[in-house]
Amino acid sequence: MSVLRGDITLCRVDAIVNAANGALKRGGGVDGAIHRAAGPDLQRELDGIGGCPTGECRISGAYGLPASRLIHCVGPVWRGGSAGEDEALAGCYRSALLLADRHGLATIAFPAISTGIYGFPPDRAARIAVDTVLDTLSGLPGIAEVRFVCFDEATAGLYRELLGA
Ligand code: AR6
């Protein structure tokens, strides 16, 4: 696992993970950046999929992005912490890794799902992300690299601390 500060749309990995919404409709934040870089064909493909429950993910082509595929995770909206937010966030990371593995995608980049517009506390989210990835990776020898790509230095610092990097 590694930590990188920057724009996930520039990552050359097999799978770039998106922080999407349940309708899989173009939004803001990292989702907006991914749609901008991918172009309108991405929304057309997502419209065909229809939607995705919170805590799960769906796969699509990467279009204009430098990846093979995109994995769209629907993180939880933060509602104070006792509405199943932790489990839903862990579900995003777990299901994305399982889906990547099933599609033979060995390198994967994650943004800090739910910590922007959805308001999940970044430190709690980072701990869940690292714990879940560690836990899930032990059963997936085909996944060679997981990169946490953070837009801001504060978030990158949280991951570095957790990873001792
Ligand atoms: N590269 C990496 N990280 C980014 C980028 C980028 N280009 N842009 C933003 N971030 P958010 P959410 C960081 O709001 O909280 C959309 O409207 C950002 O700083 O993108 O899961 C969707 O359609 C933050 O740390 O996602 C949904 O409706 C992290 O990505 C909703 O927002 C996640 O912030 C999802 O909200």
Side-chain angles (χ1 to χ4, degrees), residues 52-136:
C52 175
T54 301
E56 296 184 20
C57 60
R58 298 290 182 266
I59 195 163
S60 78
Y63 301 96
L65 286 131
S68 302
R69 311 296 290 275
L70 301 176
I71 294 178
H72 306 267
C73 286
V74 181
V77 175
W78 180 254
R79 300 187 197 283
S82 47
E85 293 95 325
D86 291 354
E87 295 74 15
L89 188 63
C92 286
Y93 287 92
R94 191 180 315 111
S95 61
L97 289 171
L98 291 169
L99 192 57
D101 185 62
R102 215 177 318 133
H103 286 265
L105 305 164
T107 59
I108 178 164
F110 281 101
I113 299 168
S114 281
T115 66
I117 292 163
Y118 280 0
F120 204 112
D123 51 340
R124 183 160 166 161
R127 214 170 320 117
I128 291 168
V130 169
D131 286 352
T132 307
V133 169
L134 262 178
D135 206 49
T136 310

Side-chain angles (χ1 to χ4, degrees), residues 6-8 19-21 27-31 33 112-118 151-152:
D7 181 350
I8 202 167
N21 55 69
V30 67
D31 187 30
I113 299 168
S114 281
T115 66
I117 292 163
Y118 280 0
F151 213 40
D152 57 274

